Amino acid sequence: MNPFSYERAADAAAAIGLAKGNAAARYLGGGTNLVDLMRETVERPEMLVDVTGLPHGIEPRADGGLLIGASATNTALAADSHVRTHYPLLARAILAGASAQIRNMATVGGNILQRTRCRYFYDTAAACNKREPGAGCDARDGFNRYHAILGASPACVATHPSDMCVALAALDATVHLDGPDGPRSIALADLHRLPGDRPDIETELKPGELIAAVEIPPLPFARRSTYRKVRDRASYAFALVSVAAALDLAEDGTVRDVRLALGGVAHKPWRASAAEAALKGRPANPESFRAAAEVELAAATGLRDNGFKIELAKRTIVAVLGDLTGDEA
Amino acid sequence: MSAHSDAAASRPGRWQPAVTQDPLLRKHGAQGSGALGQPVSRIEGPLKVQGKARFAAEFPYEGLCYAALAFSTIPRGRITALDTAAAEAAPGVVLVMTHRNAPRMKAPSLMMSSPTAAGASDLPVMQTDEIHWNGQPIAVVLAETQEQADYAASLVTAGYAPLPAVTSFDEARKTPRQLDNILGQPPVVEIGDAEGALKGAAVQVDQIYRTPRHNHNAIELHAATVAWTGDELRVHDASQLLDLTAGQLADIFGLEADKVRVSSPYVGGGFGGKCLWDHQILACAAAKLAGRPVRIMLSREGVFRIVGGRTLTEQRVALGASADGRLDALIHTGIAAMTAHNSCPEQFTFPTRHLYAAKSVRLAQEVADMDMLANTFMRAPGESVGTFALECAIDELADKLGLDPIELRRRIEPEKDPTSGKPFSSRHLIDAYEKGAERFGWERRSKAPRQRRDGEWLIGMGCATATYPYHRFPGGAARIRLTAGGQVTVSTAVHDMGMGTATAQVQHIAARLGVPLDNVTFEYGDTTLPRGVIAGGSTQTASIGGAVIAATEVFVEELLKLAGNDSPLAGLSLADVETRDGGIGHRDDAARFESYESILRRAGRGELVCEAEAPPPAEMEAFSMHSYGAQFCEVRVSEITGEVRVSRFLGSFDAGRILNAKTATSQFKGGIIMGIGLALTEETNFDPRTGRIVNASLADYHVPVQMDVPAIEILYTDIPDPQAPMGARGIGEIGITGVGAAVANAVYNATGKRIRDLPITLDKLM
Ligand SMILES: Cc1cc2nc3c(=O)[nH]c(=O)nc-3n(C[C@H](O)[C@H](O)[C@H](O)COP(=O)(O)OP(=O)(O)OC[C@H]3O[C@@H](n4cnc5c(N)ncnc54)[C@H](O)[C@@H]3O)c2cc1C
Ligand code: SF4
């Protein structure tokens, strides 16, 4: 880890002021990802601006939605009673991630901006376009079990590792930003980029911008929602594939509305819009679910180690939607 | 006072291995011996939970500096450029050591090649520009703080002239090599014409099984604190190999053996990994160069880069059986990856040498040389992965025969060791199976696969044999010190890596000498003590036992001498007496007794000190000695995702006498948990393009976590082995054996799919 200075910001304006114009400054949330990357010398910031003092409230909005301060911890968000009642998929997604200790430290802002777990990205001896543009990608023909099956590029096949973001993508969450040029908002689904030929540019954030809050609009049918994560051990492992879903059934047993997002499959939390479109108005049965999954994964391609994830994603979608049609969902 | 000699060995009353039994096995009801087997809590537990037990990286020294390593990024070649200027200029840096300025040192020698050899590899350490594996240390940075050292090490850059390297197993296996021995055993065993018998057999199984590389991941990172005073070297190590480490360091640095002192009172997990690796040698060299004490603690990545692990294997097991389930042919062959500078071939054919009766046998193992880090022992080397192949094949055969797998094992249970012809010292495998089966509810297992389910979860049961050899290492000594107040201290340079050695030995000594537990101290973990054995191969307890028996004999003889003619013991010799109730008594005459305190007092002695060396392990020559067990597993497999969850596990062991029910149960359970990792999750990703380990972190190298581990039940026969000291055969490693197969067999029973390639990840079951 390189030497760095540390500043604690009292509010967003102070944080932005401290980091302004300093390309080597980084905002520090719980540090559970950033500090790891600093230890591996993948990140070498000269200044850390601690933003954990920024708002961390979790407040229901008049419209039934929820406003979450970026510094709310993952633990607090998963435990929030409004979240548990109205957005169970979000609570489940968070609890499926990391460990209790890490969730106690991790912030909502940091979780959204955590970086890929591609091992070649972590190992400075490996070639990685994300770490060093133009260096090549050792993962393409290497160990890529955890890598993308959707939206990847020749330059990078990494995935975004967050569980929480998959639920937020399904919920149409908005991310409120603040920065040197003032506040703005962006849909979570648009925040992360696909790798293209610049995998080093991971989000639409501009230099010096920070995440101030996340807003979730009301979605009454999200009471019937869940998150399923498939992984290599029962806990404390990143998703091979995960599915966040909320289902709204009509009286006649057809799908009135549905929200579906996938994790572990792409460089960003993957909102499964094509599957959603294919499901609306269809009978809520395994055949429709499978057909929708086929549509969503039609463009999926496998690498050396991860071809199984295409079928795994399809099966998990079908299983999750099936669970949500059951009585106890 | 008196070391072991052959003349002494034949004196009446002495324990003669293979001829007489440890006298402790005859002892009944004497005060103290009641403690043997009891679930006594670890004696060092309170120190550990209070943080008062000092581990290798926790010893303070005036002027201490901290070490960090830089590692090579190519598998083979020469260093052509090494830029240390930035590192040297970084804050707090004391020095940077590379092959250019490192003190000249002799290379380590391969373990077992000499009495002081402790090397996993015999390559010189940082003496030349040659690179032999990806991850080899190329520089040591010393700095005033660990953070400064780590940062400076990241600034070291190197250029290389690569040489062709063999980093693909598929490539390496094209030119296999046969070793002249496998840990002293013949690499090939042939009885009859096994291939011919296989072809002619009524029922055949012939399969290839693959097991991947594994890395050591003990919770305590490898560490050492080292200090020179003149030509004396003091090393606080995390070690399961104290005397060998001291001897080897003396060789490497050209010192007299008694100038090196190594101690290691507490170790946070060993499993075969806490031996001598480059880091201790480099820390000593750097400390010499700097003229300051040095602390080195590897990063987790560092452990992956410079501490070897279990190598990968590809094994063929072929079984030819008659329709009634007798083996006509038993074939177990295969190949493991190794380096040319190493002696760890993963002896996977060992379990097959003694487990089952067969009319013809063929066992053979070879190695494939690769350019990589040296292999090492990792909990049950050989047996852990060898039983995976063998015990899966046995299950496959039972299935083909339409026999219950336990019944098949009953039919192929041998009367004597099938390859050596020696009698078994004690073997109760079928007992272990029967007890385990009853307790586990084996009768509820469906004969055909895919018969039980709970929603999407298919449920299955499997079993497999566990086994691990008994060994007793020669050369260990023990010292007994008795004070006038009746306090006993037994000392020997052995190890407790958390498994409970010291606790069990206190119980053992209390029982042997007939004194209360509270009167016993066990001193270990320091090379200033009488020479100890290594803690490896599940041998330590028996080896200490042998030394303590010998020391006790001297102790009793000395006390009888001191007691003289005014004692009720007058005229009695070693053969006539036993230790009991804090003294010595006639075996058959309760009235003839004198306490230790009384003998010392009358003799005017403040204390008595005796030392002796264990007699050679003749029992191993005369008998086939092994521990056995039956592993039972229930799994749930998602039909949708292929996820496997172990829902119940039971291990039923026949490991001789159990000295401490609590620590032994923990050893068995720990082995089983590690076995669940071997079965389901653990795999080192070795990149064949670069020879580099890709998942060098605990986030990516998956050991089982809490939720992967169900409640585990442990049973044991507790039948003393008449040939082993204390009747105890060693329990540290057997727990992991058979687990891979028990899980795989349960997965088959649940799903109808045979997975012969570990780990059993979900993609293989989808
Ligand atoms: C062993 C391990 C296992 C894990 N397993 C999982 C898992 O299964 N699922 C999962 O989803 N996650 C997992 N995680 C990741 C974990 O969720 C993230 O590390 C955590 O959410 C990051 O939050 P943080 O507050 O600690 O972020 P930090 O590490 O502090 O920051 C992460 C990034 O966000 C930036 N940042 C932080 N806050 C802001 C802000 N307000 N505005 C702008 N930028 C900001 C930082 O500059 C940095 O680039 C795991 C982590 C570890 C170490
Ligand atoms: S997949 Fe992306 S992050 Fe991984 S090595 Fe390739 S470029 Fe780097």
Side-chain angles (χ1 to χ4, degrees):
Chain A
M1 193 184 289
N2 58 308
F4 57 87
S5 64
Y6 169 87
E7 303 284 346
R8 201 177 154 83
D11 54 28
I16 293 160
L18 283 163
K20 193 172 171 185
N22 184 351
R26 290 280 181 288
Y27 296 120
L28 176 71
T32 59
N33 186 224
L34 180 56
V35 175
D36 267 7
L37 288 164
M38 288 166 65
R39 287 206 184 97
E40 308 269 350
T41 70
V42 174
E43 293 264 22
R44 301 167 196 238
E46 283 162 19
M47 178 198 254
L48 291 184
V49 178
D50 187 333
V51 294
T52 53
L54 271 57
H56 57 264
I58 304 170
E59 288 149 25
R61 310 282 281 179
D63 64 1
L66 197 65
L67 186 70
I68 305 155
S71 293
T73 66
N74 287 197
T75 298
L77 188 57
D80 182 80
S81 64
H82 190 91
V83 171
R84 292 165 62 128
T85 312
H86 296 278
Y87 308 110
L89 78 174
L90 178 58
R92 287 177 198 170
I94 294 170
L95 294 176
S99 65
Q101 294 88 335
I102 291 172
R103 295 193 299 267
N104 288 341
M105 290 299 291
T107 61
V108 167
N111 189 317
I112 294 170
L113 294 177
Q114 64 173 299
R115 306 194 67 189
T116 185
R117 305 303 295 202
C118 172
R119 275 312 302 178
Y120 299 99
F121 171 68
Y122 266 74
D123 182 2
T124 51
C128 170
N129 288 323
K130 187 184 282 298
R131 207 172 357 85
E132 201 186 326
C137 169
D138 272 352
R140 263 205 88 76
D141 302 311
F143 288 95
N144 48 35
R145 181 176 179 80
Y146 283 85
H147 289 66
I149 52 173
L150 287 166
S153 71
C156 179
V157 291
T159 49
H160 190 262
S162 168
D163 291 298
M164 180 187 81
C165 288
V166 183
L168 290 179
L171 289 169
D172 270 339
T174 298
V175 181
H176 298 306
L177 306 175
D178 204 349
D181 300 332
R184 65 183 180 114
S185 298
I186 184 170
L188 180 108
D190 298 331
L191 180 73
H192 300 93
R193 299 172 76 250
L194 289 178
D197 54 6
R198 289 304 300 273
D200 54 314
I201 306 174
E202 294 172 341
T203 68
E204 299 294 343
L205 284 189
K206 293 189 211 140
E209 271 189 326
L210 55 69
I211 295 180
V214 174
E215 185 167 356
I216 308 176
L219 187 69
F221 75 82
R223 279 172 172 265
R224 185 188 282 267
S225 69
T226 195
Y227 185 76
R228 180 162 178 174
K229 178 174 177 181
V230 184
R231 46 187 147 176
D232 273 329
R233 61 183 166 191
S235 167
Y236 203 43
F238 289 91
L240 289 164
V241 161
S242 68
V243 175
L247 192 61
D248 186 14
L249 293 178
E251 311 285 87
D252 64 356
T254 59
V255 176
R256 185 181 307 131
D257 202 354
V258 60
R259 296 294 177 79
L260 196 64
L262 308 179
V265 296
H267 200 254
K268 58 187 291 186
W270 191 265
R271 178 71 179 267
S273 317
E276 289 179 6
L279 278 168
K280 277 181 201 158
R282 308 290 306 165
N285 62 29
E287 292 71 35
S288 313
F289 300 155
R290 180 77 199 189
E294 295 287 352
V295 169
E296 190 62 50
L297 287 138
T301 50
L303 301 162
R304 187 190 79 181
D305 298 337
N306 72 355
F308 71 94
K309 295 205 317 191
I310 301 173
E311 173 63 18
L312 182 62
K314 293 176 188 171
R315 289 191 191 179
T316 311
I317 290 171
V318 174
V320 164
L321 293 173
D323 281 349
L324 290 177
T325 54
D327 286 339
E328 59 288 41
Chain B
M1 245 180 217
S2 134
H4 169 80
S5 73
D6 282 346
S10 57
R11 296 214 338 248
R14 290 242 166 179
W15 176 52
Q16 287 179 270
V19 180
T20 63
Q21 293 185 5
D22 176 356
L24 189 63
L25 297 184
R26 290 193 305 256
K27 239 176 144 178
H28 287 299
Q31 186 206 325
S33 79
L36 210 56
Q38 293 302 305
V40 176
S41 291
R42 271 158 227 270
I43 52 175
E44 80 283 15
L47 283 181
K48 283 184 174 167
V49 296
Q50 293 174 89
K52 288 183 181 163
R54 227 175 229 163
F55 287 78
E58 298 180 324
F59 287 86
Y61 270 90
E62 191 74 34
L64 186 68
C65 48
Y66 296 78
L69 303 177
F71 307 104
S72 80
T73 55
I74 64 156
R76 186 160 169 257
R78 289 183 179 279
I79 302 172
T80 51
L82 197 50
D83 188 348
T84 57
E88 274 152 356
V93 170
V94 175
L95 61 79
V96 179
M97 184 177 85
T98 68
H99 68 276
R100 296 191 294 229
N101 62 344
R104 294 303 99 185
M105 302 176 259
K106 281 203 207 111
S109 30
L110 281 182
M111 194 140 4
M112 289 179 292
S113 64
S114 86
T116 53
S121 146
D122 56 6
L123 288 166
V125 180
M126 206 171 274
Q127 299 293 296
T128 73
D129 59 357
E130 285 175 35
I131 298 297
H132 292 274
W133 79 90
N134 194 327
Q136 178 181 323
I138 56 167
V140 183
V141 178
L142 296 187
E144 301 295 341
T145 70
Q146 186 67 57
E147 290 74 13
Q148 290 170 332
D150 290 341
Y151 172 57
S154 77
L155 301 176
V156 174
T157 58
Y160 303 96
L163 287 169
V166 181
T167 49
S168 143
F169 180 64
D170 288 338
E171 197 53 42
R173 55 171 309 156
K174 289 179 189 158
T175 48
R177 176 163 67 98
Q178 185 145 89
L179 301 171
D180 53 13
N181 75 83
I182 308 274
L183 281 92
Q185 302 288 320
V188 177
V189 174
E190 302 228 41
I191 300 172
D193 171 18
E195 294 289 355
L198 176 68
K199 281 199 196 86
V203 182
Q204 297 157 12
V205 167
D206 191 347
Q207 294 291 351
I208 301 291
Y209 300 87
R210 292 184 178 83
T211 65
R213 296 162 195 276
H214 293 150
N215 271 92
H216 277 289
N217 272 299
I219 198 75
E220 178 202 27
L221 297 158
H222 290 63
T225 305
V226 310
W228 292 87
T229 316
D231 67 345
E232 295 197 1
L233 177 58
R234 178 78 178 89
V235 178
H236 302 270
D237 198 6
S239 176
Q240 50 192 106
L241 205 68
L242 283 168
D243 282 306
L244 289 183
T245 298
Q248 182 76 85
L249 287 173
D251 286 352
I252 289 172
F253 289 96
L255 304 171
E256 296 296 318
D258 62 357
K259 299 287 186 201
V260 182
R261 177 178 170 199
V262 184
S263 64
S264 181
Y266 306 108
V267 182
F271 310 107
K274 292 269 169 67
C275 295
L276 182 68
W277 295 95
D278 285 8
H279 65 282
Q280 296 107 317
I281 299 168
L282 290 170
C284 294
K288 198 172 181 182
L289 200 59
R292 289 175 61 174
V294 166
R295 172 177 304 165
I296 188 162
M297 184 172 79
L298 298 184
S299 61
R300 184 59 64 182
E301 181 194 356
V303 177
F304 279 85
R305 301 267 175 257
I306 74 163
V307 175
R310 194 193 302 289
T311 193
L312 82 171
T313 72
E314 188 179 292
Q315 307 174 48
R316 172 188 177 220
V317 179
L319 306 171
S322 58
D324 67 345
R326 319 277 156 181
L327 288 178
D328 296 329
L330 172 53
I331 298 171
H332 191 172
T333 59
I335 189 163
M338 205 173 104
T339 80
H341 300 275
N342 173 241
S343 55
C344 272
E346 199 69 33
Q347 57 274 26
F348 53 79
T349 57
F350 276 19
T352 318
R353 293 173 191 229
H354 63 92
L355 269 181
Y356 302 121
K359 289 195 187 121
S360 66
V361 177
R362 175 172 159 72
L363 310 173
Q365 60 179 106
E366 296 179 315
V367 296
D369 287 326
M370 295 184 69
D371 292 299
M372 60 181 196
L373 173 60
N375 301 335
T376 195
F377 318 109
M378 186 162 166
R379 208 175 203 162
E383 270 76 9
S384 54
V385 291
T387 53
F388 168 66
L390 176 64
E391 294 300 299
C392 283
I394 294 282
D395 201 72
E396 298 198 35
L397 179 63
D399 200 50
K400 279 197 169 175
L401 289 164
L403 276 180
D404 181 276
I406 301 176
E407 176 55 28
L408 172 60
R409 289 179 176 90
R410 234 181 242 119
R411 295 187 190 184
I412 56 178
E413 173 72 3
E415 294 200 336
K416 57 182 172 56
D417 187 301
T419 58
S420 71
K422 292 176 190 172
F424 294 115
S425 59
S426 173
R427 172 167 164 142
H428 304 277
L429 172 61
I430 299 301
D431 267 19
Y433 263 111
E434 286 171 354
K435 291 202 177 74
E438 190 187 342
R439 179 85 196 158
F440 195 67
W442 181 250
E443 80 285 351
R444 294 202 305 273
R445 168 181 176 269
S446 74
K447 238 179 151 177
R450 292 186 74 86
Q451 299 301 305
R452 283 180 65 202
R453 71 160 65 228
D454 172 13
E456 72 175 71
W457 296 89
L458 299 165
I459 302 171
M461 286 190 205
C463 68
T465 300
T467 187
Y468 198 75
Y470 164 90
H471 268 291
R472 188 163 65 80
F473 277 116
R479 181 171 66 217
I480 304 178
R481 177 165 173 266
L482 170 71
T483 65
Q487 293 291 322
V488 173
T489 303
V490 173
S491 313
T492 173
V494 296
H495 321 77
D496 191 340
M497 297 97 70
M499 58 280 195
T501 308
T503 310
Q505 288 304 332
V506 165
Q507 291 171 268
H508 160 221
I509 293 156
R512 188 172 297 282
L513 299 184
V515 294
L517 284 179
D518 288 345
N519 287 22
V520 179
T521 305
F522 185 68
E523 270 189 336
Y524 66 97
D526 194 322
T527 55
T528 56
L529 302 174
R531 186 174 176 86
V533 293
I534 69 165
S538 300
T539 62
Q540 196 179 234
T541 296
S543 302
I544 298 169
V548 174
I549 295 172
T552 302
E553 290 163 353
V554 177
F555 173 80
V556 169
E557 286 174 337
E558 290 297 319
L559 283 168
L560 288 175
K561 267 191 237 159
L562 291 179
N565 290 332
D566 298 335
S567 166
L569 304 172
L572 297 182
S573 72
L574 181 62
D576 307 318
V577 299
E578 63 181 17
T579 49
R580 64 173 185 242
D581 304 326
I584 299 178
H586 190 287
R587 268 190 196 154
D588 307 316
D589 183 350
R592 295 187 70 181
F593 174 85
E594 184 169 8
S595 74
Y596 299 140
E597 290 179 65
S598 158
I599 297 173
L600 286 191
R601 191 176 56 244
R602 290 193 307 99
R605 295 282 291 262
E607 63 172 30
L608 174 66
V609 181
C610 311
E611 183 175 328
E613 194 176 299
E619 72 276 22
M620 285 162 52
E621 299 306 313
F623 293 91
S624 174
M625 298 182 70
H626 303 269
S627 284
Y628 299 94
Q631 308 274 26
F632 291 88
C633 174
E634 181 187 83
V635 295
R636 298 161 65 87
V637 183
S638 164
E639 211 179 6
I640 297 168
T641 61
E643 289 161 290
V644 178
R645 301 284 179 255
V646 176
S647 46
R648 290 197 300 135
F649 208 101
L650 181 148
S652 172
F653 297 96
D654 174 44
R657 184 169 199 175
I658 297 304
L659 302 180
N660 178 321
K662 192 177 208 169
T663 53
T665 300
S666 293
Q667 281 289 298
F668 292 134
K669 282 188 183 172
I672 288 168
I673 293 168
M674 215 158 155
I676 290 174
L678 171 144
L680 297 180
T681 58
E682 281 192 55
E683 175 169 25
T684 301
N685 295 152
F686 181 91
D687 198 322
R689 299 170 300 179
T690 56
R692 193 165 175 87
I693 293 174
V694 173
N695 56 341
S697 103
L698 275 178
D700 305 277
Y701 181 94
H702 289 157
V703 298
V705 296
Q706 197 74 16
M707 281 175 67
D708 294 297
V709 181
I712 297 173
E713 203 173 339
I714 301 298
L715 308 176
Y716 42 82
T717 60
D718 209 10
I719 300 171
D721 189 316
Q723 302 305 330
M726 297 98 73
R729 269 196 310 257
I731 53 170
E733 289 164 274
I734 188 171
I736 191 176
T737 69
V739 178
V743 174
N745 295 339
V747 165
Y748 171 73
N749 186 243
T751 65
K753 286 185 190 149
R754 290 278 181 200
I755 308 301
R756 303 184 183 92
D757 178 11
L758 292 182
I760 306 172
T761 46
L762 58 89
D763 46 303
K764 297 172 186 169
L765 286 163
M766 276 177 60

